[in-house]
């Protein structure tokens, strides 16, 4: 099924932020906003919830800590105990560095892999952009059009009156 | 809202627009390689050839090709290892620590500095792996089930901690660097015209569209990665210093080593960043992005860390005397006035005296002076590791086993060769990857550029909206 979108193109982040607020206040649903860089404050005006990735990082890190401690204690304490440098078999202070490193490794990789999965980031040969200028210098606001429901002229006027420098239509083939 | 002091100099000069940033950074990625790049790359390939030849000799004939002897069992290999790892630390410091401190000047230099980190760690890793003599058995350092009845690795050994520290450091830095590259690869992808470039950058950019949701997650991920990379970078050089500090060799067995090594690492790393940045900004005409303000900020870090290192040298010497340990005191007297006095005083001159010149603003802001001093610091920090390692080892407890170390051509070859390896990777990076983080520079453009960017557009396009919306505050950082 094809989906139709109206794209409002902006060239300034402050205008964009105000526009988002006004357009949402007017009761129009914004499908997505694309920008060449992260805009601070856009999360609030778009109503994007805080990411839960730090929680993922915490638990992955916790797994790293426990795994590293378990591994070292089991290997040197139970599986093949040996006296090294007169230390006890389970010499916790000298297990700290490896434990720390594995905590960081698991936290970082766990979080990044989750980020790739939830943001659908994967190597692709062709990427369908709404407007290619949004990775260069333009800010693109996409609003979904429902045939027969959306008043195109009013939407165009709404976008333009809120500072859009261009309003385009785009059909996305699913 | 963030207050930007009016005294602060602009971080982006020349009245750039967003599109100018894209153009300026993508230029060398899209253009055919220029002659200067080709020559520099050619020279690096010669260095790489030297590396391969020296490695071949080391592996074919064994470690006997190096100048090591029974007394000095660690020399250039470990010196070069610590030196290269130390250089890497500046990249992480710039990308992670300065991100946590909200230092905006990091934006235009973090990409290249992180690349430097990754390539420096690759060079560093070569030395312990080659010193193994049989690198194809390098996996023995991992705790893998094995046919010796599962005799595990020794988790009490700092050398094993190093394995974990360096490999974690390398992989986390690589991931951090790559995450930052994804949006910029998307920019290049959307401009690409050639069929290969289009596909290659599409694959590299991982389907990035720049939607608000993914930017929000991207920012969270960057912040958390910075948060974990900061203690990581400190832990790495701490653990490297423990290779020495946990031994009982006079001159090595010191508790001051971890902070002293970390400061030294940042010191040498910033010097290397300066050396590379001064060349890069000139070659690729990035003077508007890597400004004198950036150079000055880095020079300030050099003064601080250089002074920390200077204090560490003095403290070490004082404690050696104050401890009353005869061997410890001898090790230090021997460093400064023994047969390796020239190495010690080269270190002192390059690391303690030269960076103090940066107290003068003129010198701090002079590119030539900065370039020369950065080279001095690089040399000085190499000597620091050489002094610590070789002078502590060469006079053992028994005078009958005293020896001197002299490098062979293969020692020199492996060291010079790693420069070849480093610069080959670095030149490939500057050709095919965006050297300046475009997205981040665009994000600071409004608050930190010379001309209040977009202000005029703003005023023009605002007619029709209420005046209340024009004064709407937005969070800048």
């Amino acid at each position: 099924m094809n989906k139709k979108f109206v794209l409002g193109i902006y060239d300034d982040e402050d205008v964009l932020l105000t526009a988002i607020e006004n357009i949402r206040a007017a009761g129009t649903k914004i499908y997505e906003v694309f920008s060449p860089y992260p805009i601070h404050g856009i999360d609030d005006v778009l109503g994007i919830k805080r990411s839960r990735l730090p929680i993922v990082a915490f638990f992955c890190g916790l797994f790293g800590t426990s795994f590293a401690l378990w591994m070292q204690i089991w290997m040197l304490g139970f599986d093949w105990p040996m006296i090294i440098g007169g230390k006890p078999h389970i010499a916790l202070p000298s297990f700290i560095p490896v434990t720390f490193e594995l905590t960081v490794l698991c936290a970082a990789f766990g979080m990044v892999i989750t980020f790739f999965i939830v943001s659908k980031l994967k190597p692709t040969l062709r990427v369908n952009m709404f407007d290619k200028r949004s990775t260069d210098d333009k800010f693109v606001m996409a609003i979904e059009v429902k045939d027969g429901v959306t008043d195109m002229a009013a939407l165009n006027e709404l976008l333009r009156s809120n500072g859009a420098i261009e309003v385009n239509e785009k059909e996305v083939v699913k | 809202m963030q207050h930007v002091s009016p005294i602060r100099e602009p971080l982006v000069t020349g009245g750039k627009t967003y599109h100018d940033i894209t153009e300026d950074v993508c230029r060398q990625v899209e253009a055919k390689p220029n002659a200067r790049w080709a020559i520099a790359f050619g020279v690096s390939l010669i260095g790489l050839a030297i590396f391969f030849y020296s490695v071949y000799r080391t592996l074919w004939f064994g470690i006997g090709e190096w100048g090591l002897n029974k007394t000095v069992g660690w020399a250039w290999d470990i010196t070069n290892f610590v030196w290269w790892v130390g250089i890497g630390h500046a990249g992480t410091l710039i990308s992670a620590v300065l991100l946590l401190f909200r230092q905006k000047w990091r934006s235009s230099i973090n990409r290249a500095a992180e690349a430097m980190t990754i390539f420096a760690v690759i060079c560093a890793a070569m030395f312990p792996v080659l010193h193994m003599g049989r690198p194809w058995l390098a996996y023995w350092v991992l705790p893998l089930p094995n046919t010796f009845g599962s005799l595990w690795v020794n988790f009490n050994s700092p050398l094993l901690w190093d394995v974990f520290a360096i490999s974690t450091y390398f992989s986390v830095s690589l991931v951090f660097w790559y995450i930052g590259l994804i949006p910029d690869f998307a920019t290049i992808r959307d401009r690409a015209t050639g069929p290969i470039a289009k596909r290659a950058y599409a694959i590299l950019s991982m389907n990035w569209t720049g939607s608000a949701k993914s930017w929000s997650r991207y920012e969270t991920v960057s912040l958390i990665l910075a948060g974990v990379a900061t203690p990581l970078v400190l832990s790495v050089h701490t653990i490297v210093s423990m290779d020495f500090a946990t031994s009982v060799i006079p001159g090595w067995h010191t508790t001051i080593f971890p902070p002293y090594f970390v400061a030294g690492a940042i010191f040498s790393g910033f010097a290397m960043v300066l050396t590379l940045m001064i060349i890069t900004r000139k070659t690729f005409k990035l003077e508007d992005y890597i400004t004198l303000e950036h150079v000055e900020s880095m020079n300030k870090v050099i003064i601080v860390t250089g002074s920390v290192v200077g204090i560490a040298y003095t403290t070490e010497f004082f404690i050696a005397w104050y401890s009353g340990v005869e061997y410890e005191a001898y090790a230090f007297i021997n460093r400064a006035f023994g047969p390796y006095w020239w190495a010690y005083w080269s270190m002192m001159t390059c690391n303690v005296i030269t960076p103090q010149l940066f107290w003068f603003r003129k010198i701090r802001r002079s590119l030539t002076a900065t370039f020369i001093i950065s080279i001095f610091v690089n040399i000085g920090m190499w000597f620091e590791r050489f002094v610590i390692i070789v002078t502590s080892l060469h006079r053992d407890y028994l005078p009958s086993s005293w020896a001197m170390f002299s490098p062979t051509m293969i020692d020199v070859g492996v060291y010079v060769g790693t420069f070849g390896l480093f610069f080959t990777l670095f030149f490939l990076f500057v050709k095919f990857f965006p050297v300046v983080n475009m997205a981040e520079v665009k994000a600071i453009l409004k608050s930190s550029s010379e001309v209040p960017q977009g202000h005029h557009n703003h005023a023009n396009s605002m007619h029709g909206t209420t005046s209340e919306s024009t004064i709407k505050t937005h969070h800048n950082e």
Side-chain angles (χ1 to χ4, degrees):
Chain A
M1 203 186 93
N2 290 3
K3 274 185 170 183
K4 265 175 85 180
F5 292 93
V6 165
L7 307 178
I9 316 283
Y10 293 81
D11 64 356
D12 185 273
E13 60 173 62
D14 295 317
V15 178
L16 175 77
L17 286 175
T18 331
I20 293 172
E21 276 192 303
N22 293 343
I23 288 167
R24 288 189 81 210
T28 309
K29 201 169 165 266
I30 295 173
Y31 176 78
E32 189 59 273
V33 176
F34 301 93
S35 60
Y37 60 85
I39 301 169
H40 291 274
I42 200 170
D43 294 12
D44 297 335
V45 293
L46 269 179
I48 295 176
K49 285 204 206 80
R50 248 180 101 165
S51 165
R52 281 166 299 176
L53 283 166
I55 302 171
V56 176
F58 176 78
F59 282 103
C60 291
L62 195 65
F63 166 77
T65 316
S66 342
F67 173 74
L69 280 176
W70 167 80
M71 175 179 79
Q72 296 175 86
I73 291 172
W74 177 74
M75 285 176 180
L76 292 195
F78 296 96
D79 193 48
W80 191 307
M82 272 204 301
I83 294 174
I84 297 160
K87 296 185 188 78
H89 293 142
I90 300 168
L92 278 180
S94 45
F95 293 172
I96 300 290
V98 171
T99 309
F100 173 77
E101 300 303 331
L102 285 180
T103 305
V104 169
L105 189 69
C106 292
F109 274 81
M111 177 181 60
V112 168
I113 291 167
T114 317
F115 167 59
F116 283 166
I117 295 170
V118 295
S119 299
K120 299 189 180 63
L121 295 178
K122 54 178 187 298
T124 342
L125 274 176
R126 272 184 60 83
V127 181
N128 286 316
M129 294 288 290
F130 278 90
D131 191 314
K132 283 189 169 185
R133 289 171 298 171
S134 75
T135 54
D136 178 10
D137 61 346
K138 296 290 185 286
F139 307 87
V140 175
M141 184 195 292
I143 295 169
E144 199 178 337
V145 177
K146 293 197 177 70
D147 283 327
V149 183
T150 316
D151 181 351
M152 296 295 278
L155 188 57
N156 193 348
E157 176 52 30
L158 181 69
L159 285 167
R160 287 205 185 269
S161 66
N162 276 294
I165 55 162
E166 264 176 53
V167 176
N168 303 325
E169 278 182 45
K170 170 107 181 168
E171 210 162 303
V172 176
V173 186
K174 275 279 158 186
Chain B
M1 275 294 274
Q2 187 185 327
H3 176 71
V4 178
S5 161
I7 312 169
R8 277 237 181 262
E9 281 176 48
L11 293 173
V12 182
T13 55
K16 299 288 181 186
T17 63
Y18 297 131
H19 185 65
D20 291 339
I21 297 173
T22 313
E23 286 291 332
D24 290 344
V25 178
C26 292
R27 195 180 300 124
Q28 77 265 5
V29 177
E30 290 161 354
K32 289 225 153 49
N34 64 24
R36 265 189 291 184
W37 180 87
I39 293 165
F41 188 64
V43 174
S44 313
L45 285 179
I46 296 172
L48 190 65
I50 295 173
F51 178 74
F52 281 124
Y53 176 72
S54 313
V55 169
Y56 148 75
R57 289 281 297 255
T58 305
L59 295 185
W60 194 255
F61 297 103
I63 300 302
E65 287 287 285
W66 294 357
L68 303 176
N69 52 51
K70 268 191 93 166
T71 309
V72 187
W74 270 5
W76 274 40
D77 51 328
I78 198 91
T79 303
N80 300 337
F81 163 73
V82 180
W83 188 75
W84 276 118
V85 172
I87 281 173
H89 280 30
T92 322
L93 195 95
I94 291 170
S95 59
V97 181
L98 297 186
L99 177 82
L100 296 182
F101 284 130
R102 302 280 185 215
Q103 292 297 307
K104 287 183 179 174
W105 60 269
R106 59 179 276 286
S107 295
S108 53
I109 52 169
N110 67 352
R111 170 70 42 75
E114 276 176 60
M116 180 196 77
T117 295
I118 288 156
F119 305 147
V121 175
I122 292 174
C123 291
M126 294 300 155
F127 291 97
V129 170
L130 288 175
H131 202 175
M132 286 174 181
R134 290 185 287 169
W136 47 94
L137 298 180
Y139 68 92
W140 283 11
V141 302
L142 299 173
L144 297 171
N146 52 63
T147 50
F148 312 125
S150 265
L151 176 65
W152 300 108
V153 291
N154 176 12
F155 288 106
N156 296 297
S157 164
L159 297 179
L160 186 80
W161 303 344
D162 244 0
V163 172
F164 280 84
I166 303 289
S167 47
T168 302
Y169 182 50
F170 177 73
S171 36
V172 171
S173 303
L174 189 67
V175 163
F176 200 2
W177 185 57
Y178 190 69
I179 295 273
L181 274 165
I182 290 175
D184 283 0
F185 280 145
T187 305
I188 301 177
R189 169 199 72 202
D190 291 342
R191 292 165 51 93
T193 43
I196 298 169
K198 250 185 192 157
R199 291 195 175 86
Y201 289 109
I203 290 172
L204 284 169
S205 63
M206 305 271 277
N207 208 11
W208 179 263
T209 54
S211 70
K213 181 86 194 165
S214 37
W215 273 123
S216 159
R217 292 195 185 113
Y218 168 94
E219 292 250 279
T220 310
V221 167
S222 306
L223 192 65
I224 302 287
L225 279 181
V228 296
T230 302
L232 178 64
V233 67
L234 301 181
S235 85
V236 171
H237 231 64
T238 299
I239 291 173
V240 168
S241 81
M242 284 173 179
D243 290 348
F244 307 103
T246 56
S247 74
V248 288
I249 309 282
W252 286 5
H253 190 62
T254 357
T255 47
I256 198 180
F257 264 24
Y260 157 25
F261 267 53
V262 171
I266 295 164
F267 181 53
S268 66
F270 268 79
M272 192 58 133
V273 173
L274 280 167
T275 316
L276 294 176
M277 287 299 114
I278 290 173
I279 300 172
T280 311
R281 82 194 276 278
K282 186 94 191 129
T283 321
F284 295 123
K285 301 189 178 61
L286 294 169
E287 283 94 343
D288 286 328
Y289 302 98
I290 302 164
T291 63
L292 282 183
E293 169 78 2
H294 290 94
V295 173
E296 192 181 359
S297 301
M298 286 192 269
N299 283 339
K300 285 175 184 166
V301 177
I302 296 230
I303 305 181
V304 174
T305 48
S307 307
V308 172
V309 168
I311 290 170
Y313 296 158
T314 324
T315 313
E316 245 188 349
F317 225 105
F318 169 75
I319 294 293
W321 164 75
Y322 189 68
S323 67
V325 181
E326 203 181 331
Y327 297 105
E328 191 74 23
Y330 179 74
F332 280 87
I333 297 290
N334 182 47
R335 263 184 205 181
F337 306 107
Y340 282 111
W341 64 270
W342 46 271
Y344 185 82
W345 294 106
S346 308
M347 162 188 105
M348 285 305 245
T349 320
C350 295
N351 291 352
V352 184
I353 299 164
T354 46
Q356 300 304 325
L357 292 172
F358 284 140
W359 286 106
F360 299 102
R361 190 162 189 271
K362 265 233 163 72
I363 297 180
R364 232 168 31 226
R365 295 181 70 88
S366 150
L367 286 174
T368 323
T370 304
F371 188 78
I372 294 168
I373 294 175
S374 76
I375 300 282
F376 266 93
V377 172
N378 283 322
I379 296 171
M381 284 309 292
W382 188 88
F383 271 115
E384 180 201 294
R385 278 66 177 251
F386 179 81
V387 164
I388 292 174
I389 292 156
V390 174
T391 66
S392 304
L393 288 175
H394 87 119
R395 291 204 166 163
D396 216 336
Y397 291 98
L398 287 176
S400 59
S401 49
W402 286 7
M404 293 291 285
F405 170 80
S406 49
T408 60
M409 277 316 286
I410 301 301
D411 270 308
V412 180
V414 180
Y415 181 49
V416 172
T418 48
F419 278 96
L421 177 62
F422 179 84
F423 281 104
T424 304
L425 293 168
F426 195 78
F427 284 123
L428 284 175
F429 156 74
V430 296
K431 179 63 195 76
F432 295 106
F433 285 16
V435 268
V436 168
N437 190 330
M438 292 185 269
E440 275 195 32
V441 173
K442 285 173 191 170
I444 62 160
L445 188 66
K446 264 198 132 167
S447 55
S448 309
S449 92
E450 208 164 40
V451 180
Q453 147 73 20
H455 195 263
H456 304 290
N457 298 342
H458 187 104
N460 293 338
S461 54
M462 283 315 289
H463 56 88
T465 51
T466 55
S467 62
E468 161 243 330
S469 57
T470 46
I471 52 162
K472 192 84 206 161
T473 56
H474 71 280
H475 305 285
N476 223 329
E477 191 95 347

